[in-house]
Amino acid sequence: MKIMVAIKRVIDYAVKIRVKPDKSGVVTQNVKMSMNPFCEIALEEALRIRESGLASEVVAVTMGPSQCLDTLRTGLAMGADRGIHVDSTSALHPLHVAKILRNLVQIEKPSLIILGKQAIDDDCNQTGQMVAGLLNWPQGTFASKVVLDKEKEEVTVDREVDDGIETVQLKLPAVITTDLRLNQPRYATLPNIMKAKSKPIKKFTPQELNVEIKSDLEIVEVTEPPKRKAGVMVSSVDELIEKLKNEAKVI
Amino acid sequence: MHFKRSDFKIIKNYIAEIGDDDVSYVLSTFTITYIRVEKEHGSEIVTNQLHFNHCFLFFTMLKFCSIFSKSKSKNLFLLRSRTKSTSRSQSSPAAYTFSRRIFPYSKHSSLLARVSISRVPPSRSFATDSEARDSIEYDVVVVGAGPAGLSAAIRLKQLCHQKGADLSVCVVEKGAEVGAHIISGNVFEPRALDELLPQWKQEEAPINTPVSSDKFWFLTKNRAISLPSPFHNKGNYVISLSQLVRWLGAKAEELGVEIYPGFAASEILYDANNKVIGIGTNDMGIAKDGSKKENFQRGVEVKGRITLLAEGCRGSLSEKIIGRYNLREKGGAEHQTYALGIKEVWEIDERKHQPGAVLHTLGWPLDHKTYGGSFLYHMKDNQISIGFVVALNYQNPFMNPYEEFQKFKHHPAIRQYLEGGTVIQYGARTLNEGGFQSIPYPVFPGGAIIGCSAGFLNVPKIKGTHTAMKSGMLAAEVTFGVLNEGLDMDMYWKALRNSWIWDELYKARNYRPAFEYGLIPGLALSGLEHYLLRGKHPFTLKHGKADHEATNAAQLHSPIQYPKADGVLSFDVPTSLHRSNTNHEHDQPPHLRLRDPKIPETVNLPVYAAPESRYCPARVYEYVADEHNQLKLQINAQNCLHCKACDIKDPKQNIEWTVPEGGGGPGYSVM
């Protein structure tokens, strides 16, 4: 059984984000990039499934410019068997990613696709759901526990939803997106990093996969969130009510 | 039978002679803790059983056991962290579990068992099992991907290509990526780079802002008095060293050097003949209490025929090596002296930006007894580097270098540049000021120390990058000779003495020590040196006290009132820290070790008013009231900027900076 994991190269979570002076986006030049934390968790889960003997191969997929190869190599160093790099310099929105993944699935034919629930740069939380929709596969999103049953060809996923934990049973092939509490990703060790250099990476372009990167979305402006204003001390309950009524206009 | 103080000393010295420092520290702490316990719980132990000779035998056996167990230093490394972290317990749980493992049936452990209050359930496994480590071998191992380390690696590969040899070179770097821990002024003198990579301009090195003006001001509270600039910066460039090092890293990889960021070299590996055979990286995935986490990963041994230490100023492994092989005595060197540099990169109003403008100041806000000053360099893209450097031999324990920097930014002549701008990054690092007098013998069996770990910074020029790079290149040339032609590594010392590094540092040797006599005599001698003598005098001034000894007791000074941060020009530490992109995996043992956990509350706080809570530019050290309203030291290791100021300035040298899990620490990109 093959598992495909989609990983994204994003700005490292510890970096302080700055908006470009022309407000067209966020400064990414000279900024540390690393693998999306949720994608790390997804890859870790795939590796654990393979190590328990239920899967034979883990393929890591990444899309973007050539620098994404660094992130892909990290994924290979963690333990993925093969890598696929879809080379594209234009901005890829979730729908493009989902379409590319669908076409890759037709080539690779995995039984399970695991993704992070969202990327920390755009916070879209759309790609996994879109992939499931395009492939017409069942989906288990916000997974906090994944149990695979190989004979029955089913996977049981505990989902973290607003009401609590929802358990769903999905028939394979299926799409799973991972949430924070699923597992703790492993460190890539030095020997593994060295071995990863020789693992194969296949290259594709969106054109080869018959996906047109045409965007219906246009980013108009990116600004910093408004600075939090200092709180105002009120001297009595009446004053509070008066302010809520007249200034904040919430009652 | 009770032990006298002199007995403690004898045991400590004996142990120090038979083993390496790690072992002696733990064993001596063990001894002293044990004996202290015995003193406190007098009647609970039968003291007759603990005869002096038994003690020697016991500890010699412990020592042999630790030699034979594979990962000895790792054991003691983690045990030390346990011993230090449980500062409130009267006994040492680590000693209890330590002896439990080595001597499960000894009567000594049962003695300890009666007394110790173990805070650790015996079922907890320590990440110190004798699980064997993977071992990888290279011809040359370089610790630190900075200017010196990368220059050495590049030079080695160049020599290999030239002479048709093949040497495998590995660089390990504790930062998450190459350049993440690199911070410097920086006005770059391309002398060494011209020798290393003469085509640097065509190869698009990030060196493109030549120095356009060179100013030197003496500041008073409200005025800036222009003085003739002592620097000759013509032909130099204003750069971001972090960017240059990233470029050097790419060049090194093109030549076939293997660079592994995110791996911290935490121990030196020795063979049976006390020769260095490589380094060991940290175990990863250890929790705060020492147990293994889900993602525990054993460190690896990276072995090299030659090991080059390029850790930068006050490198943790370099200091150990210098101590072990007595390299300062061997080189006839004095102690090293240091300064703490704190820096911010601002993006300013383009109307105020003059690319290549270089400014240095002296004077306000520092007093005449404290050596230090500021720098303000204009880079490209409307960015400026502004920083403040304070020599760490300052006497007033209430001095707060970070706050002095914030105060300095409010000076009318300085604020004019900053108004309307925003801070992009913040960082801090210590630098060497010992110069010529403090260069240790840089060769040890199995390798050498290069760059600022040895200390080649030219203090009056305030430049150390070019000499660090050159020292790396010289070491590479000698290493190539050693590995291919059977030469001796000691040739490195000779090569240094015959190079322009020596020349430069010799000429510059008296500038800094002159300031021991005060600001005015220092300036006077600087002037004399610069215009008349130029290094040609028969005497060499000595340094004053070591930095940690120079701090006066708090009662001799009064607290300094620093103005509150205004959030526009000056900022509080947490805001600044956020801009350094610093982070560490929080669930790991603190990497700042206290050799004696009692000293902060018994010495640092009452006698020196807790200087570590003031000089640390990351607010790692805080004294917080506990439930009994007693102030206790809290170490926020996660904030650490890896500047090493605490390792240098702690009055009792009680704080030991050790390397945390690789990948942690600051994330400098334009510093």
Side-chain angles (χ1 to χ4, degrees):
Chain A
M1 191 187 96
K2 202 190 287 189
I3 305 180
M4 187 183 273
V5 179
I7 56 183
K8 187 177 183 185
R9 175 178 178 260
V10 297
I11 298 181
D12 188 83
Y13 75 91
V15 166
K16 181 174 190 292
I17 307 288
R18 281 195 314 131
V19 176
K20 280 194 217 168
D22 60 4
K23 296 197 179 164
S24 62
V26 151
V27 174
T28 49
Q29 215 197 24
N30 296 335
V31 152
K32 175 159 185 253
M33 309 288 272
S34 47
M35 198 190 293
N36 182 31
F38 295 108
C39 298
E40 283 181 354
I41 296 174
L43 184 53
E44 174 65 23
E45 195 57 28
L47 294 172
R48 285 188 190 189
I49 295 175
R50 185 194 64 193
E51 280 161 10
S52 67
L54 298 168
S56 57
E57 203 186 13
V58 173
V59 182
V61 181
T62 194
M63 308 179 196
S66 57
Q67 292 94 323
C68 289
L69 283 169
D70 292 329
T71 318
L72 196 53
R73 288 278 171 215
T74 309
L76 292 172
M78 279 172 72
D81 301 295
R82 279 190 296 122
I84 296 178
H85 172 224
V86 180
D87 199 355
S88 164
T89 42
S90 41
L92 292 169
H93 293 300
L95 188 55
H96 304 139
V97 175
K99 287 183 181 168
I100 294 176
L101 277 175
R102 176 203 45 200
N103 292 359
L104 277 173
V105 160
Q106 278 145 15
I107 302 175
E108 290 283 335
K109 301 199 195 347
S111 312
L112 194 56
I113 304 181
I114 313 186
L115 307 96
K117 73 171 180 183
Q118 65 197 54
I120 60 172
D121 53 4
D122 55 19
D123 280 338
C124 279
N125 196 325
Q126 297 166 5
T127 310
Q129 291 86 334
M130 285 179 175
V131 172
L134 287 171
L135 286 169
N136 209 15
W137 285 9
Q139 56 180 278
T141 52
F142 311 107
S144 66
K145 191 161 138 194
V146 170
V147 178
L148 192 61
D149 190 335
K150 199 162 178 196
E151 295 103 55
K152 292 207 209 129
E153 301 243 329
E154 276 171 1
V155 59
T156 311
V157 176
D158 281 6
R159 305 179 57 225
E160 285 190 13
V161 293
D162 292 339
D163 288 342
I165 310 265
E166 183 189 73
T167 309
V168 292
Q169 205 164 57
L170 315 170
K171 265 197 139 41
L172 294 181
V175 175
I176 296 179
T177 69
T178 60
D179 206 326
L180 204 56
R181 270 161 281 270
L182 179 57
N183 60 44
Q184 262 258 23
R186 63 191 62 182
Y187 292 103
T189 62
L190 200 48
N192 284 351
I193 293 180
M194 298 165 83
K195 282 186 217 153
K197 287 190 195 162
S198 50
K199 287 186 183 171
I201 294 183
K202 217 187 225 175
K203 205 152 163 205
F204 289 99
T205 59
Q207 291 76 18
E208 283 172 28
L209 293 169
N210 298 324
V211 175
E212 202 191 326
I213 311 292
K214 179 180 63 100
S215 188
D216 300 324
L217 294 175
E218 184 201 328
I219 294 181
V220 173
E221 190 188 62
V222 176
T223 51
E224 276 191 26
K227 291 247 175 321
R228 251 193 92 180
K229 286 197 287 238
V232 175
M233 295 289 273
V234 291
S235 51
S236 71
V237 176
D238 293 322
E239 200 186 331
L240 175 64
I241 297 176
E242 193 258 322
K243 278 197 191 286
L244 286 174
K245 227 186 214 171
N246 300 328
E247 284 184 32
K249 297 201 170 60
V250 291
I251 49 171
Chain B
M1 180 188 120
H2 283 274
F3 287 92
K4 301 190 294 283
R5 265 200 186 273
S6 53
D7 292 335
F8 286 31
K9 264 200 172 153
I10 294 173
I11 297 175
K12 207 171 182 174
N13 291 338
Y14 176 80
I15 292 164
E17 274 170 33
I18 52 170
D20 69 277
D21 294 340
D22 291 333
V23 180
S24 71
Y25 274 126
V26 171
L27 292 183
S28 45
T29 315
F30 178 90
T31 323
I32 292 166
T33 320
Y34 182 94
I35 292 168
R36 207 182 277 145
V37 160
E38 172 242 90
K39 278 189 164 189
E40 284 152 350
H41 295 261
S43 57
E44 286 188 11
I45 307 177
V46 183
T47 57
N48 287 341
Q49 286 182 326
L50 193 62
H51 193 272
F52 200 55
N53 289 335
H54 287 181
C55 227
F56 271 113
L57 185 63
F58 177 43
F59 289 116
T60 317
M61 285 168 72
L62 274 178
K63 169 64 185 165
F64 282 125
C65 275
S66 65
I67 289 176
F68 290 138
S69 92
K70 269 200 172 175
S71 46
K72 73 170 154 99
S73 298
K74 277 282 141 240
N75 289 345
L76 300 168
F77 163 98
L78 279 149
L79 283 167
R80 200 156 8 114
S81 75
R82 292 261 36 222
T83 325
K84 296 321 161 210
S85 62
T86 56
S87 54
R88 293 189 203 185
S89 67
Q90 292 241 319
S91 64
S92 165
Y96 161 72
T97 29
F98 183 58
S99 68
R100 251 276 139 96
R101 275 194 318 103
I102 307 284
F103 296 124
Y105 310 110
S106 99
K107 82 180 157 188
H108 295 280
S109 69
S110 62
L111 282 173
L112 292 166
R114 257 190 281 154
V115 171
S116 68
I117 311 155
S118 176
R119 286 169 146 234
V120 178
S123 59
R124 192 78 90 158
S125 70
F126 281 91
T128 58
D129 293 339
S130 49
E131 205 182 302
R133 287 190 290 194
D134 280 337
S135 174
I136 317 172
E137 289 181 11
Y138 289 93
D139 290 309
V140 185
V141 175
V142 180
V143 179
L150 291 174
S151 299
I154 291 174
R155 192 83 192 98
L156 271 166
K157 282 293 186 183
Q158 286 174 341
L159 286 167
C160 285
H161 289 190
Q162 256 174 38
K163 313 225 169 144
D166 188 26
L167 293 174
S168 55
V169 181
C170 171
V171 179
V172 288
E173 161 61 40
K174 65 172 163 53
E177 37 178 39
V178 173
H181 290 188
I182 300 291
I183 169 176
S184 172
N186 183 302
V187 175
F188 182 65
E189 188 180 307
R191 187 170 187 182
L193 187 60
D194 286 335
E195 292 178 25
L196 183 67
L197 294 164
Q199 305 294 316
W200 57 260
K201 211 175 187 91
Q202 290 88 318
E203 296 183 24
E204 295 179 348
I207 304 173
N208 29 39
T209 311
V211 172
S212 58
S213 68
D214 208 347
K215 299 208 189 94
F216 187 51
W217 293 346
F218 184 86
L219 296 183
T220 61
K221 186 147 191 268
N222 290 309
R223 298 178 57 208
I225 304 162
S226 197
L227 293 178
S229 172
F231 308 106
H232 299 295
N233 276 322
K234 192 146 178 248
N236 294 340
Y237 296 81
V238 178
I239 63 163
S240 154
L241 190 58
S242 178
Q243 286 295 306
L244 179 61
V245 165
R246 283 158 198 266
W247 178 83
L248 281 174
K251 289 286 148 206
E253 291 198 298
E254 276 172 29
L255 289 168
V257 175
E258 292 177 43
I259 306 183
Y260 296 109
F263 288 96
S266 61
E267 67 170 302
I268 307 267
L269 304 171
Y270 302 95
D271 68 5
N273 299 324
N274 207 25
K275 179 176 169 215
V276 171
I277 53 171
I279 55 105
T281 64
N282 256 337
D283 285 345
M284 313 262 273
I286 303 175
K288 253 201 174 90
D289 58 10
S291 60
K292 291 188 208 187
K293 293 195 290 199
E294 214 182 2
N295 55 2
F296 171 76
Q297 206 61 259
R298 198 86 172 85
V300 292
E301 294 186 353
V302 185
K303 292 195 178 149
R305 292 161 65 197
I306 291 283
T307 306
L308 296 177
L309 298 179
E311 298 170 291
C313 175
R314 195 84 173 188
S316 43
L317 295 181
S318 308
E319 289 297 307
K320 284 215 164 77
I321 291 278
I322 291 175
R324 186 191 181 91
Y325 295 104
N326 283 326
L327 296 179
R328 287 209 194 276
E329 284 89 71
K330 203 166 172 194
E334 287 193 68
H335 56 270
Q336 184 64 266
T337 65
Y338 305 89
L340 175 61
I342 307 179
K343 175 183 166 180
E344 289 170 359
V345 170
W346 286 63
E347 192 172 278
I348 60 171
D349 190 340
E350 60 184 348
R351 290 164 294 177
K352 303 183 184 176
H353 188 248
Q354 304 149 15
V358 166
L359 166 65
H360 293 101
T361 76
L362 267 188
W364 189 85
L366 298 176
D367 61 27
H368 284 219
K369 286 218 192 92
T370 310
Y371 181 78
S374 80
F375 61 87
L376 206 167
Y377 306 143
H378 292 239
M379 301 191 282
K380 62 179 170 74
D381 295 339
N382 296 331
Q383 291 181 352
I384 58 159
S385 292
I386 177 170
F388 204 73
V389 179
V390 179
L392 282 176
N393 65 347
Y394 64 79
Q395 297 172 350
N396 185 345
F398 294 104
M399 154 86 80
N400 187 326
Y402 175 84
E403 295 293 345
E404 298 286 345
F405 178 34
Q406 303 305 314
K407 202 161 132 186
F408 155 77
K409 286 189 282 176
H410 284 270
H411 190 280
I414 302 294
R415 65 188 297 160
Q416 57 169 327
Y417 291 106
L418 304 178
E419 277 156 351
T422 46
V423 184
I424 300 176
Q425 257 179 31
Y426 161 83
R429 185 72 169 89
T430 48
L431 41 122
N432 303 303
E433 290 204 326
F436 182 80
Q437 292 89 323
S438 301
I439 302 175
Y441 190 76
V443 180
F444 52 86
I449 306 180
I450 58 179
C452 280
S453 291
F456 300 111
L457 192 140
N458 183 330
V459 182
K461 255 191 188 175
I462 334 179
K463 291 179 178 55
T465 317
H466 62 310
T467 47
M469 290 174 71
K470 181 65 176 172
S471 72
M473 290 155 65
L474 291 172
E477 283 156 16
V478 175
T479 304
F480 188 80
V482 168
L483 295 177
N484 279 20
E485 294 148 29
L487 296 181
D488 207 340
M489 202 66 207
D490 291 301
M491 302 273 296
Y492 176 47
W493 180 234
K494 218 177 174 183
L496 277 174
R497 292 164 79 103
N498 289 333
S499 71
W500 48 260
I501 300 179
W502 213 254
D503 230 4
E504 233 192 78
L505 294 180
Y506 183 74
K507 285 208 184 90
R509 71 194 186 285
N510 281 331
Y511 282 86
R512 174 69 182 91
F515 283 87
E516 289 301 311
Y517 303 101
L519 185 61
I520 304 297
L523 283 175
L525 194 108
S526 290
L528 195 65
E529 276 278 355
H530 189 74
Y531 293 108
L532 225 60
L533 297 173
R534 295 171 205 267
K536 297 189 194 70
H537 33 51
F539 57 87
T540 299
L541 294 176
K542 280 193 176 315
H543 296 315
K545 290 190 191 157
D547 294 341
H548 64 274
E549 289 169 352
T551 322
N552 285 339
Q555 62 187 21
L556 296 172
H557 297 267
S558 43
I560 306 178
Q561 292 302 336
Y562 289 104
K564 204 161 170 240
D566 70 351
V568 176
L569 291 175
S570 51
F571 310 94
D572 60 4
V573 176
T575 311
S576 290
L577 201 57
H578 184 218
R579 295 174 178 141
S580 66
N581 299 328
T582 199
N583 193 29
H584 293 89
E585 165 58 46
H586 77 283
D587 193 11
Q588 63 171 303
H591 63 279
L592 299 150
R593 309 280 162 77
L594 300 174
R595 296 192 164 107
D596 178 346
K598 292 233 165 67
I599 288 192
E601 286 90 18
T602 54
V603 178
N604 286 38
L605 188 55
V607 179
Y608 299 100
E612 62 273 17
S613 63
R614 289 169 229 279
Y615 60 64
C616 175
R619 193 149 305 158
V620 168
Y621 302 98
E622 279 185 303
Y623 282 83
V624 179
D626 66 4
E627 59 266 11
H628 308 292
N629 258 339
Q630 297 274 63
L631 286 177
K632 283 254 177 248
L633 176 63
Q634 178 179 285
I635 300 182
N636 308 318
Q638 206 174 353
N639 291 0
C640 184
L641 288 172
H642 296 210
C643 78
K644 321 289 173 64
C646 52
D647 194 277
I648 295 166
K649 188 61 174 169
D650 188 56
K652 293 292 169 204
Q653 294 285 268
N654 190 34
I655 301 175
E656 191 191 352
W657 192 95
T658 64
V659 70
E661 253 180 36
Y668 302 137
S669 57
V670 289
M671 300 296 260

